[in-house]
Amino acid sequence: GAGIGENLNAGGKLNVAGDAKIGGNASVTGNASITGDATIDGFTRINDNARITGDLTVNGGLSLGAGADAHIDQGSSLVINNSTGPVRIKASGTEMLIINDVQVEAKKRFIVTGADLAERFTVSPSNDLNNESVKPGMVVSIDRAHPGALRLSNSAYDKTVAGIVSGAGGIQTAIELGQAGSIADGQVSVAVIGRVYCYADATYGSIEPGDLLSTSNTPGHAMKVTNFDSAHGAILGKAMSGLKDGKGLILVLISMQ
């Protein structure tokens, strides 16, 4: 192991206790700990874990390999100046960027894969609804008996309708909101804005693109609005695909009214 400004026997790690400047590329296959400031003018690849307690500026690309974590302590910053392409953080083939307690400013466009904005909720058990389980595409409503929680919808024109469980039909959540350890959290992502696939029941009326949708007596299923007086305050959104008869998934543009 090697240490700079610290114990030279660092147990296989590179420890930089002061400031560091690297003029070329940097590759870390073990653990890296930077307690001062670091500037890297080339490409940086981290295949294991990195902890930054100072400021890290990378004037090239930054790559975090699968299983690698970059910990940026409070009061420190990570600046990536990459003019040749996007900044990507990948884990096992998927891209994930987790940001806690920071402000993100997009000067042009901010593109997120997915098609809806969802919030995390606790969804109450629905054993009284023919053992119907909550799954992606189901319509959910506010649970009056449990503050902050939702339940599977089970009545027509329900004015407590809250949204559609995200993730059905291969459309994933784009942005997910929630605060861990508070009433504003849960295990179920419920879409409140955007496009999602939703379970619908066309026995109450054939559904065509553009039809307004509300809750139905079929647990977790939407239906076409036919009574506009009753639907006031219970609109879930607009159908973007049709369903002539029976039950099935339809694409919905959520617009709670």
Side-chain angles (χ1 to χ4, degrees):
I4 301 176
E6 272 193 8
N7 184 1
L8 293 179
N9 186 7
K13 300 179 180 179
L14 173 61
N15 291 270
V16 181
D19 298 340
K21 182 176 180 63
I22 301 174
N25 296 330
S27 179
V28 179
T29 56
N31 295 324
S33 178
I34 302 172
T35 57
D37 298 336
T39 300
I40 301 173
D41 292 330
F43 181 83
T44 303
R45 182 185 304 279
I46 300 174
N47 293 326
D48 211 316
N49 297 330
R51 176 168 293 281
I52 301 167
T53 57
D55 295 334
L56 173 62
T57 300
V58 181
N59 294 318
L62 174 64
S63 173
L64 295 181
D69 294 324
H71 300 274
I72 303 174
D73 290 350
Q74 185 175 4
S76 301
S77 66
L78 170 63
V79 179
I80 303 172
N81 298 315
N82 184 13
S83 60
T84 60
V87 176
R88 301 180 185 274
I89 298 179
K90 294 188 174 184
S92 303
T94 61
E95 297 182 8
M96 180 177 295
L97 174 62
I98 301 176
I99 303 175
N100 292 323
D101 299 326
V102 298
Q103 178 175 320
V104 178
E105 179 181 351
K107 295 185 180 297
K108 291 186 178 180
R109 294 185 300 167
F110 190 72
I111 301 174
V112 180
T113 301
D116 66 74
L117 185 152
E119 295 193 39
R120 297 196 300 267
F121 287 92
T122 295
V123 178
S124 303
S126 54
N127 295 331
D128 57 329
L129 302 178
N130 299 320
N131 293 319
E132 190 76 61
S133 61
V134 176
K135 58 185 176 181
M138 291 288 193
V139 182
V140 287
S141 298
I142 294 171
D143 185 351
R144 291 189 175 96
H146 299 89
L150 302 179
R151 57 176 176 79
L152 205 62
S153 67
N154 66 333
S155 61
Y157 302 115
D158 184 359
K159 290 179 173 55
T160 67
V161 63
I164 302 167
V165 179
S166 182
I171 296 182
Q172 300 303 312
T173 304
I175 299 175
E176 185 181 79
L177 305 178
Q179 182 177 334
S182 75
I183 196 172
D185 196 23
Q187 293 74 45
V188 180
S189 296
V190 177
V192 293
I193 298 176
R195 286 167 292 174
V196 293
Y197 275 103
C198 175
Y199 281 98
D201 191 341
T203 59
Y204 305 102
S206 296
I207 300 172
E208 297 181 355
D211 284 341
L212 291 175
L213 302 171
S214 185
T215 61
S216 73
N217 291 324
T218 305
H221 286 61
M223 70 174 185
K224 175 181 178 178
V225 170
T226 56
N227 186 329
F228 290 92
D229 290 335
S230 296
H232 183 70
I235 298 295
L236 179 61
K238 284 189 176 184
M240 297 191 72
S241 64
L243 183 66
K244 290 185 177 181
D245 51 44
K247 301 175 184 176
L249 286 172
I250 62 172
L251 186 63
V252 174
L253 178 63
I254 300 178
S255 179
M256 308 293 291
Q257 300 176 34

